[in-house]
PDB file of all heavy atoms in Angstrom:
ATOM      1  N   LEU A1068      13.867  -2.274 -22.421  1.00 94.00           N
ATOM      2  CA  LEU A1068      12.632  -2.923 -21.977  1.00 94.00           C
ATOM      3  C   LEU A1068      11.899  -2.049 -20.962  1.00 94.00           C
ATOM      4  O   LEU A1068      10.658  -1.997 -20.951  1.00 94.00           O
ATOM      5  CB  LEU A1068      12.934  -4.288 -21.364  1.00 94.00           C
ATOM      6  CG  LEU A1068      13.185  -5.436 -22.339  1.00 94.00           C
ATOM      7  CD1 LEU A1068      13.707  -6.667 -21.601  1.00 94.00           C
ATOM      8  CD2 LEU A1068      11.902  -5.785 -23.100  1.00 94.00           C
ATOM      9  N   LYS A1087       5.621   0.119 -16.501  1.00 90.00           N
ATOM     10  CA  LYS A1087       5.664  -0.900 -17.548  1.00 90.00           C
ATOM     11  C   LYS A1087       4.960  -2.183 -17.119  1.00 90.00           C
ATOM     12  O   LYS A1087       4.192  -2.775 -17.885  1.00 90.00           O
ATOM     13  CB  LYS A1087       7.115  -1.215 -17.907  1.00 90.00           C
ATOM     14  CG  LYS A1087       7.802  -0.191 -18.765  1.00 90.00           C
ATOM     15  CD  LYS A1087       7.398  -0.343 -20.218  1.00 90.00           C
ATOM     16  CE  LYS A1087       8.213   0.575 -21.114  1.00 90.00           C
ATOM     17  NZ  LYS A1087       7.851   0.443 -22.540  1.00 90.00           N
ATOM     18  N   ALA A1088       5.231  -2.617 -15.896  1.00 88.00           N
ATOM     19  CA  ALA A1088       4.660  -3.872 -15.412  1.00 88.00           C
ATOM     20  C   ALA A1088       3.135  -3.791 -15.329  1.00 88.00           C
ATOM     21  O   ALA A1088       2.427  -4.740 -15.699  1.00 88.00           O
ATOM     22  CB  ALA A1088       5.252  -4.227 -14.046  1.00 88.00           C
ATOM     23  N   LEU A1091       1.771  -3.897 -18.956  1.00 89.00           N
ATOM     24  CA  LEU A1091       1.946  -5.160 -19.676  1.00 89.00           C
ATOM     25  C   LEU A1091       1.422  -6.377 -18.935  1.00 89.00           C
ATOM     26  O   LEU A1091       1.539  -7.495 -19.437  1.00 89.00           O
ATOM     27  CB  LEU A1091       3.442  -5.366 -19.982  1.00 89.00           C
ATOM     28  CG  LEU A1091       4.106  -4.310 -20.870  1.00 89.00           C
ATOM     29  CD1 LEU A1091       5.599  -4.592 -21.005  1.00 89.00           C
ATOM     30  CD2 LEU A1091       3.451  -4.286 -22.247  1.00 89.00           C
ATOM     31  N   HIS A1092       0.844  -6.180 -17.764  1.00 87.00           N
ATOM     32  CA  HIS A1092       0.365  -7.330 -16.994  1.00 87.00           C
ATOM     33  C   HIS A1092      -0.620  -8.157 -17.827  1.00 87.00           C
ATOM     34  O   HIS A1092      -1.524  -7.605 -18.475  1.00 87.00           O
ATOM     35  CB  HIS A1092      -0.320  -6.857 -15.712  1.00 87.00           C
ATOM     36  CG  HIS A1092      -0.469  -7.930 -14.694  1.00 87.00           C
ATOM     37  ND1 HIS A1092      -1.413  -8.942 -14.806  1.00 87.00           N
ATOM     38  CD2 HIS A1092       0.215  -8.192 -13.551  1.00 87.00           C
ATOM     39  CE1 HIS A1092      -1.312  -9.750 -13.782  1.00 87.00           C
ATOM     40  NE2 HIS A1092      -0.329  -9.327 -13.001  1.00 87.00           N
ATOM     41  N   PRO A1093      -0.448  -9.482 -17.853  1.00 86.00           N
ATOM     42  CA  PRO A1093      -1.326 -10.352 -18.652  1.00 86.00           C
ATOM     43  C   PRO A1093      -2.812 -10.160 -18.377  1.00 86.00           C
ATOM     44  O   PRO A1093      -3.639 -10.283 -19.286  1.00 86.00           O
ATOM     45  CB  PRO A1093      -0.865 -11.763 -18.251  1.00 86.00           C
ATOM     46  CG  PRO A1093       0.570 -11.577 -17.898  1.00 86.00           C
ATOM     47  CD  PRO A1093       0.640 -10.237 -17.222  1.00 86.00           C
ATOM     48  N   ASN A1096      -4.112  -7.575 -20.571  1.00 90.00           N
ATOM     49  CA  ASN A1096      -3.935  -7.811 -22.007  1.00 90.00           C
ATOM     50  C   ASN A1096      -4.366  -9.233 -22.377  1.00 90.00           C
ATOM     51  O   ASN A1096      -3.562 -10.017 -22.902  1.00 90.00           O
ATOM     52  CB  ASN A1096      -2.473  -7.579 -22.402  1.00 90.00           C
ATOM     53  CG  ASN A1096      -1.999  -6.169 -22.114  1.00 90.00           C
ATOM     54  OD1 ASN A1096      -2.189  -5.266 -22.905  1.00 90.00           O
ATOM     55  ND2 ASN A1096      -1.378  -5.992 -20.941  1.00 90.00           N
ATOM     56  N   ASP A1099      -3.705 -10.491 -26.020  1.00 92.00           N
ATOM     57  CA  ASP A1099      -2.337 -10.533 -26.527  1.00 92.00           C
ATOM     58  C   ASP A1099      -1.690 -11.865 -26.151  1.00 92.00           C
ATOM     59  O   ASP A1099      -1.389 -12.109 -24.978  1.00 92.00           O
ATOM     60  CB  ASP A1099      -1.521  -9.371 -25.946  1.00 92.00           C
ATOM     61  CG  ASP A1099      -0.110  -9.310 -26.515  1.00 92.00           C
ATOM     62  OD1 ASP A1099       0.266 -10.212 -27.291  1.00 92.00           O
ATOM     63  OD2 ASP A1099       0.630  -8.354 -26.182  1.00 92.00           O
ATOM     64  N   PRO A1100      -1.448 -12.748 -27.121  1.00 92.00           N
ATOM     65  CA  PRO A1100      -0.859 -14.063 -26.808  1.00 92.00           C
ATOM     66  C   PRO A1100       0.574 -13.962 -26.275  1.00 92.00           C
ATOM     67  O   PRO A1100       1.085 -14.892 -25.660  1.00 92.00           O
ATOM     68  CB  PRO A1100      -0.899 -14.793 -28.161  1.00 92.00           C
ATOM     69  CG  PRO A1100      -0.906 -13.701 -29.181  1.00 92.00           C
ATOM     70  CD  PRO A1100      -1.694 -12.580 -28.565  1.00 92.00           C
ATOM     71  N   ASN A1101       1.213 -12.816 -26.524  1.00 92.00           N
ATOM     72  CA  ASN A1101       2.601 -12.634 -26.076  1.00 92.00           C
ATOM     73  C   ASN A1101       2.703 -11.808 -24.794  1.00 92.00           C
ATOM     74  O   ASN A1101       3.797 -11.418 -24.399  1.00 92.00           O
ATOM     75  CB  ASN A1101       3.413 -11.949 -27.179  1.00 92.00           C
ATOM     76  CG  ASN A1101       3.461 -12.751 -28.455  1.00 92.00           C
ATOM     77  OD1 ASN A1101       3.632 -13.975 -28.427  1.00 92.00           O
ATOM     78  ND2 ASN A1101       3.289 -12.092 -29.590  1.00 92.00           N
ATOM     79  N   ALA A1102       1.555 -11.536 -24.174  1.00 90.00           N
ATOM     80  CA  ALA A1102       1.542 -10.663 -22.996  1.00 90.00           C
ATOM     81  C   ALA A1102       2.403 -11.221 -21.871  1.00 90.00           C
ATOM     82  O   ALA A1102       3.175 -10.485 -21.247  1.00 90.00           O
ATOM     83  CB  ALA A1102       0.106 -10.465 -22.518  1.00 90.00           C
ATOM     84  N   ASN A1103       2.297 -12.503 -21.604  1.00 90.00           N
ATOM     85  CA  ASN A1103       3.059 -13.090 -20.498  1.00 90.00           C
ATOM     86  C   ASN A1103       4.561 -13.035 -20.767  1.00 90.00           C
ATOM     87  O   ASN A1103       5.354 -12.746 -19.861  1.00 90.00           O
ATOM     88  CB  ASN A1103       2.641 -14.542 -20.271  1.00 90.00           C
ATOM     89  CG  ASN A1103       3.269 -15.130 -19.018  1.00 90.00           C
ATOM     90  OD1 ASN A1103       3.031 -14.672 -17.909  1.00 90.00           O
ATOM     91  ND2 ASN A1103       4.109 -16.148 -19.202  1.00 90.00           N
ATOM     92  N   GLU A1104       4.945 -13.273 -22.031  1.00 92.00           N
ATOM     93  CA  GLU A1104       6.362 -13.221 -22.384  1.00 92.00           C
ATOM     94  C   GLU A1104       6.927 -11.817 -22.181  1.00 92.00           C
ATOM     95  O   GLU A1104       8.022 -11.642 -21.631  1.00 92.00           O
ATOM     96  CB  GLU A1104       6.531 -13.648 -23.845  1.00 92.00           C
ATOM     97  CG  GLU A1104       7.980 -13.656 -24.311  1.00 92.00           C
ATOM     98  CD  GLU A1104       8.116 -14.073 -25.762  1.00 92.00           C
ATOM     99  OE1 GLU A1104       7.111 -14.555 -26.340  1.00 92.00           O
ATOM    100  OE2 GLU A1104       9.222 -13.911 -26.314  1.00 92.00           O
ATOM    101  N   LYS A1105       6.173 -10.795 -22.582  1.00 93.00           N
ATOM    102  CA  LYS A1105       6.605  -9.399 -22.408  1.00 93.00           C
ATOM    103  C   LYS A1105       6.702  -9.051 -20.923  1.00 93.00           C
ATOM    104  O   LYS A1105       7.645  -8.397 -20.484  1.00 93.00           O
ATOM    105  CB  LYS A1105       5.613  -8.457 -23.089  1.00 93.00           C
ATOM    106  CG  LYS A1105       5.538  -8.603 -24.602  1.00 93.00           C
ATOM    107  CD  LYS A1105       4.447  -7.695 -25.167  1.00 93.00           C
ATOM    108  CE  LYS A1105       4.298  -7.866 -26.666  1.00 93.00           C
ATOM    109  NZ  LYS A1105       3.186  -7.061 -27.221  1.00 93.00           N
ATOM    110  N   PHE A1106       5.712  -9.524 -20.174  1.00 92.00           N
ATOM    111  CA  PHE A1106       5.671  -9.239 -18.740  1.00 92.00           C
ATOM    112  C   PHE A1106       6.855  -9.882 -18.024  1.00 92.00           C
ATOM    113  O   PHE A1106       7.486  -9.261 -17.158  1.00 92.00           O
ATOM    114  CB  PHE A1106       4.354  -9.760 -18.164  1.00 92.00           C
ATOM    115  CG  PHE A1106       4.161  -9.504 -16.705  1.00 92.00           C
ATOM    116  CD1 PHE A1106       3.885  -8.224 -16.235  1.00 92.00           C
ATOM    117  CD2 PHE A1106       4.258 -10.535 -15.781  1.00 92.00           C
ATOM    118  CE1 PHE A1106       3.702  -7.981 -14.884  1.00 92.00           C
ATOM    119  CE2 PHE A1106       4.084 -10.297 -14.427  1.00 92.00           C
ATOM    120  CZ  PHE A1106       3.804  -9.017 -13.979  1.00 92.00           C
ATOM    121  N   GLN A1107       7.172 -11.133 -18.384  1.00 92.00           N
ATOM    122  CA  GLN A1107       8.296 -11.837 -17.775  1.00 92.00           C
ATOM    123  C   GLN A1107       9.613 -11.126 -18.100  1.00 92.00           C
ATOM    124  O   GLN A1107      10.501 -11.017 -17.252  1.00 92.00           O
ATOM    125  CB  GLN A1107       8.345 -13.282 -18.267  1.00 92.00           C
ATOM    126  CG  GLN A1107       7.208 -14.168 -17.787  1.00 92.00           C
ATOM    127  CD  GLN A1107       7.291 -14.469 -16.303  1.00 92.00           C
ATOM    128  OE1 GLN A1107       8.365 -14.457 -15.710  1.00 92.00           O
ATOM    129  NE2 GLN A1107       6.147 -14.754 -15.690  1.00 92.00           N
ATOM    130  N   ALA A1108       9.730 -10.628 -19.326  1.00 93.00           N
ATOM    131  CA  ALA A1108      10.971  -9.958 -19.738  1.00 93.00           C
ATOM    132  C   ALA A1108      11.189  -8.670 -18.948  1.00 93.00           C
ATOM    133  O   ALA A1108      12.310  -8.377 -18.513  1.00 93.00           O
ATOM    134  CB  ALA A1108      10.910  -9.656 -21.235  1.00 93.00           C
ATOM    135  N   VAL A1109      10.123  -7.901 -18.759  1.00 93.00           N
ATOM    136  CA  VAL A1109      10.228  -6.653 -17.999  1.00 93.00           C
ATOM    137  C   VAL A1109      10.599  -6.947 -16.548  1.00 93.00           C
ATOM    138  O   VAL A1109      11.420  -6.245 -15.950  1.00 93.00           O
ATOM    139  CB  VAL A1109       8.901  -5.865 -18.070  1.00 93.00           C
ATOM    140  CG1 VAL A1109       8.885  -4.743 -17.035  1.00 93.00           C
ATOM    141  CG2 VAL A1109       8.708  -5.293 -19.467  1.00 93.00           C
ATOM    142  N   GLY A1110      10.000  -8.003 -15.986  1.00 92.00           N
ATOM    143  CA  GLY A1110      10.312  -8.381 -14.609  1.00 92.00           C
ATOM    144  C   GLY A1110      11.763  -8.791 -14.443  1.00 92.00           C
ATOM    145  O   GLY A1110      12.424  -8.411 -13.469  1.00 92.00           O
ATOM    146  N   ALA A1111      12.279  -9.554 -15.413  1.00 93.00           N
ATOM    147  CA  ALA A1111      13.682  -9.976 -15.354  1.00 93.00           C
ATOM    148  C   ALA A1111      14.609  -8.768 -15.473  1.00 93.00           C
ATOM    149  O   ALA A1111      15.612  -8.662 -14.756  1.00 93.00           O
ATOM    150  CB  ALA A1111      13.965 -10.971 -16.474  1.00 93.00           C
ATOM    151  N   ALA A1112      14.256  -7.844 -16.366  1.00 93.00           N
ATOM    152  CA  ALA A1112      15.078  -6.646 -16.551  1.00 93.00           C
ATOM    153  C   ALA A1112      15.152  -5.841 -15.261  1.00 93.00           C
ATOM    154  O   ALA A1112      16.234  -5.378 -14.865  1.00 93.00           O
ATOM    155  CB  ALA A1112      14.501  -5.789 -17.678  1.00 93.00           C
ATOM    156  N   SER A1141       8.294 -13.527 -12.680  1.00 81.00           N
ATOM    157  CA  SER A1141       7.868 -12.130 -12.702  1.00 81.00           C
ATOM    158  C   SER A1141       6.486 -11.917 -12.102  1.00 81.00           C
ATOM    159  O   SER A1141       6.221 -10.877 -11.480  1.00 81.00           O
ATOM    160  CB  SER A1141       7.896 -11.594 -14.137  1.00 81.00           C
ATOM    161  OG  SER A1141       9.218 -11.494 -14.606  1.00 81.00           O
TER     162      SER A1141
END
Side-chain angles (χ1 to χ4, degrees):
L1068 281 170
K1087 283 281 187 180
L1091 299 176
H1092 197 285
N1096 300 275
D1099 184 355
N1101 299 318
N1103 188 62
E1104 181 180 349
K1105 295 176 183 176
F1106 182 73
Q1107 292 290 334
V1109 167
S1141 292

